[in-house]
Amino acid sequence: MNNNNSRRKFLQQSAMAGAAVVASPLNTFSATNSEIIGEVEEGILDVTKNIKTKGYAATDESGELSPWEFERRPVGDDDILIDINFASICHSDIHQEKGHWGEQEYPQVPGHEIVGVVAAVGKNVTKFKVGDRVGVGCMVDSCMECSTCKAGEEQFCERGQTKFTYGAPSKAEPTGITQGGYSDKLVVRDHFAVHIPDNISFEEAAPLLCAGITTYSPLMRAQFKVGDKVGVAGIGGLGHLAVRIAVSKGAKVYAFTTSEDKVEDIKSWGVEEVIVVDDEFKNMQAYNKTLDYMISTIPYQFNVAAYVMCLKPGGTFTFVGMPEKSEITLNNLMLAFACVNFNSSLIGGIPETQEVVNYCADNGIKPSIEIINAEEINEAWDKVVNKKARYRYVIDAATF
């Protein structure tokens, strides 16, 4: 049986299983029911055993990715198996695989903007059924018991048990670490997946699982008012969504970019003004003490003070970009003169991730994307680093 026919048969049987789930009074089925799962010799997955998976992995700090076949853990009682449709490329993938944030274990499959269809569920799962559209972002587990996790801020687990989507030590995984979404399948604890509404495409939803939540969360905490002046520094994968979200909330958005060829794109998103930042930052002086709030998505070292000075005294600057070594250089005297509130933000919890997906779907906030095949990943990474992405590359998982 060839791969296409095998995949088709699996999906057909999964759909039949989904119908059985709906009919069941318990609205769930056991991952140990081989009659529902199908026979391995017929090319159907047995989810009680390790799941054979195809993807692209980094094998060292060169950041060059290549095809890799590996195994994921079996589907547990609280897990779902996702047949991945698309996974998008985040600059964080590049930083991590190149060891910019610390030494890594390889081979490692990156990717934390993942969307697809539920192919199987564990016996305790009620949040999803086979056939549901789902997405997974930056984390795949936590203690689930501490007050922070129970409050829906699983990324800040008080026990330090937040498990990120790739590269995190995991005894449950056959490879010893979590492996990300540049692959065709994913096994994940059901709590850490979100529903993808029918009114947004899979490929447009994928970037919302990191870029969307990473910008939405601090923008919502800022509680800016309609008409407030909001700056967005760095107009890439994260920044272009920050612009669109802030505009949709009624802000007057000032977009700061070093790429002059992005100006017309940015204007089309409804901004108040686009500022092309020059090498000396002189053209930013005209915006001194102008903005109420600013979010920076810049993933490199840069002159933070030049941007901070654009804020009014008492304004807030939020840093979501993560440079190499996760370090930034600040001029404390300039911060003192600016008299601003300076903070950083990570991602958001699972409830807020569902919130941003729903919000963007309902309000037509869609990322600008380019769909690529797996063999184009390395080229796409180079373009991201060289600021050539417009604005999120989305990988077709059928090409793994």
Side-chain angles (χ1 to χ4, degrees):
M1 182 178 292
N2 64 41
N3 289 338
N4 287 337
N5 288 338
S6 175
R7 183 182 178 92
R8 188 177 300 111
K9 187 171 182 179
F10 172 60
L11 291 175
Q12 288 171 345
Q13 293 199 18
S14 294
M16 293 173 64
V21 171
V22 174
S24 168
L26 295 177
N27 198 29
T28 183
F29 74 90
S30 170
T32 61
N33 189 336
S34 60
E35 291 181 0
I36 292 179
I37 295 164
E39 298 297 332
V40 177
E41 58 266 26
E42 293 182 1
I44 308 304
L45 287 176
D46 181 350
V47 299
T48 66
K49 299 179 180 179
N50 286 349
I51 308 296
K52 292 183 179 180
T53 306
K54 295 187 296 182
Y56 264 56
T59 57
D60 54 40
E61 291 185 357
S62 69
E64 288 291 319
L65 273 65
S66 56
W68 185 45
E69 294 188 7
F70 63 103
E71 293 185 343
R72 296 191 184 276
R73 70 175 187 265
V75 177
D77 292 347
D78 300 307
D79 292 336
I80 60 174
L81 170 65
I82 300 174
D83 195 24
I84 298 174
N85 286 34
F86 295 94
S88 44
I89 293 174
C90 179
H91 206 133
S92 297
D93 302 338
I94 302 171
H95 276 317
Q96 180 155 327
E97 300 312 326
K98 290 190 175 184
H100 292 169
W101 296 339
E103 188 174 344
Q104 297 298 314
E105 185 174 336
Y106 302 100
Q108 187 177 136
V109 176
H112 54 209
E113 297 180 342
I114 307 161
V115 290
V117 177
V118 176
V121 302
K123 67 179 182 180
N124 295 336
V125 175
T126 58
K127 182 179 178 181
F128 301 102
K129 65 182 184 298
V130 169
D132 279 355
R133 293 158 48 92
V134 294
V136 175
C138 300
M139 54 184 168
V140 292
D141 208 352
S142 71
C143 83
M144 297 289 291
E145 296 175 349
C146 70
S147 59
T148 305
C149 286
K150 288 181 177 179
E153 296 285 352
E154 301 89 346
Q155 72 276 25
F156 301 129
C157 176
E158 294 166 16
R159 298 178 182 176
Q161 294 180 20
T162 302
K163 190 170 292 183
F164 293 100
T165 307
Y166 54 91
S170 176
K171 294 180 180 179
E173 296 299 334
T175 62
I177 59 173
T178 55
Q179 303 288 354
Y182 291 17
S183 58
D184 63 347
K185 297 178 185 67
L186 178 68
V187 177
V188 64
R189 189 169 180 171
D190 64 335
H191 177 86
F192 289 86
V194 298
H195 290 274
I196 302 299
D198 291 332
N199 56 339
I200 188 170
S201 71
F202 273 132
E203 53 267 44
E204 290 170 325
L208 303 179
L209 279 307
C210 173
I213 184 59
T214 300
T215 53
Y216 179 86
S217 185
L219 284 169
M220 295 306 96
R221 285 199 306 272
Q223 296 184 328
F224 58 81
K225 301 183 294 295
V226 173
D228 278 359
K229 295 178 179 180
V230 171
V232 179
I235 313 300
L238 273 70
H240 91 290
L241 277 170
V243 167
R244 287 174 164 172
I245 292 169
V247 167
S248 77
K249 293 289 186 177
K252 293 183 177 180
V253 176
Y254 292 72
F256 294 78
T257 180
T258 57
S259 303
E260 190 168 2
D261 58 353
K262 293 181 180 179
V263 170
E264 294 307 314
D265 285 347
I266 300 168
K267 286 181 178 178
S268 72
W269 304 332
V271 301
E272 190 76 8
E273 196 169 339
V274 183
I275 299 92
V276 179
V277 179
D278 60 28
D279 291 340
E280 301 297 325
F281 301 96
K282 290 181 179 178
N283 62 335
M284 296 179 67
Q285 294 176 6
Y287 302 90
N288 187 49
K289 302 187 187 306
T290 297
L291 307 177
D292 299 289
Y293 176 79
M294 178 178 280
I295 182 172
S296 170
T297 70
I298 301 170
Y300 301 107
Q301 289 282 356
F302 66 102
N303 184 351
V304 178
Y307 291 83
V308 168
M309 296 303 291
C310 294
L311 286 159
K312 298 174 183 176
T316 298
F317 183 100
T318 299
F319 206 120
V320 298
M322 294 294 170
E324 291 189 29
K325 299 182 180 179
S326 303
E327 296 176 351
I328 56 174
T329 301
L330 296 174
N331 184 315
N332 193 45
L333 183 62
M334 296 300 289
L335 278 178
F337 273 113
C339 191
V340 302
N341 302 299
F342 189 95
N343 61 50
S344 293
S345 184
L346 192 58
I347 47 175
I350 297 302
E352 194 172 33
T353 302
Q354 185 68 71
E355 180 181 317
V356 67
V357 171
N358 293 346
Y359 177 80
C360 289
D362 291 343
N363 290 277
I365 301 170
K366 300 176 180 180
S368 297
I369 62 172
E370 180 179 340
I371 298 174
I372 63 172
N373 293 332
E375 63 186 15
E376 300 175 274
I377 291 173
N378 289 312
E379 179 184 355
W381 275 26
D382 288 340
K383 289 181 178 178
V384 170
V385 171
N386 293 309
K387 305 179 183 180
K388 300 298 182 184
R390 298 296 184 271
Y391 285 81
R392 210 58 158 181
Y393 289 111
V394 179
I395 309 162
D396 182 353
T399 63
F400 287 120

